[in-house]
Amino acid sequence: LIFYKQMREKRLLHLVRRLQTLLEDYKQAVSSKYIRDIRQVQGQLPEVFNQIDWLTGLTMDLKQERLFLGKILNPVIRLFGMEGIKSEALEDTLVQCAHVRTSAHLLYDCCQWLVHESAGREQLTHEAIAHERIAMNQHLLDETLSKVQSIKET
């Protein structure tokens, strides 16, 4: 579990970058106007949701471990100054996981909406709305990335 404690921040950053890549792929798919390209992006999103679930579970485990060890080893922790991961950092990670999940859902919903609205066709029919939704998702991803990069383990 020690290794995983150090991976929390890196994994979150990786998830945000992965979503940024998928958003770029989505932009290209919308530009190409082919539904198959949008479906390809949509097909990659379940892996992102699995990783978000893994990171959220890990963070919750670390939070429980901190509570448990805090009760039992509190005098030892204070004596040797072994604080470990601060509760605030764990809470920040959970909040950022929620942001990443929201962004991934938004991207998935955009893909699903475009596929549904263009049913039976090979090409998109609502390109303007697709571009508007890209801008919303890009803003959310940029905001999440800046918050993720500000998370510090002490």
Side-chain angles (χ1 to χ4, degrees), residues 100-142:
V100 171
R101 179 178 294 284
T102 300
S103 187
H105 272 294
L106 182 58
L107 183 56
Y108 188 88
D109 291 346
C110 288
C111 290
Q112 185 64 31
W113 182 83
L114 284 172
V115 168
H116 177 73
E117 289 298 314
S118 302
R121 299 181 189 94
E122 288 185 25
Q123 292 191 334
L124 294 178
T125 56
H126 295 83
E127 187 178 351
I129 295 173
H131 285 293
E132 178 185 318
R133 292 179 182 198
I134 287 171
M136 288 181 353
N137 206 350
Q138 185 66 56
H139 174 72
L140 184 59
L141 276 175
D142 289 344

Side-chain angles (χ1 to χ4, degrees), residues 18-83:
R18 178 75 176 123
L19 271 176
Q20 286 178 320
T21 301
L22 286 172
L23 184 60
E24 289 300 317
D25 293 347
Y26 176 76
K27 288 178 187 179
Q28 290 177 355
V30 169
S31 295
S32 78
K33 298 184 181 181
Y34 286 103
I35 298 299
R36 70 173 181 272
D37 295 339
I38 292 171
R39 284 192 176 133
Q40 186 177 13
V41 171
Q42 187 179 18
Q44 295 177 46
L45 284 165
E47 171 201 342
V48 172
F49 287 116
N50 288 339
Q51 291 179 17
I52 294 167
D53 290 342
W54 179 84
L55 184 58
T56 301
L58 170 69
T59 305
M60 293 299 290
D61 289 346
L62 291 172
K63 199 171 165 186
Q64 289 297 322
E65 177 187 87
R66 181 171 172 71
L67 288 172
F68 177 73
L69 289 177
K71 290 177 183 176
I72 295 176
L73 299 175
N74 202 15
V76 175
I77 289 172
R78 272 194 244 139
L79 179 66
F80 293 105
M82 300 169 16
E83 283 295 316

Side-chain angles (χ1 to χ4, degrees), residues 8-9 85-86 88-90 92 147-154:
R8 179 182 51 83
E9 183 178 332
I85 301 172
K86 298 200 179 224
E88 296 82 22
L90 295 174
D92 284 346
K147 289 179 181 177
V148 167
Q149 290 173 335
S150 71
I151 295 174
K152 300 287 184 219
E153 284 191 49
T154 55

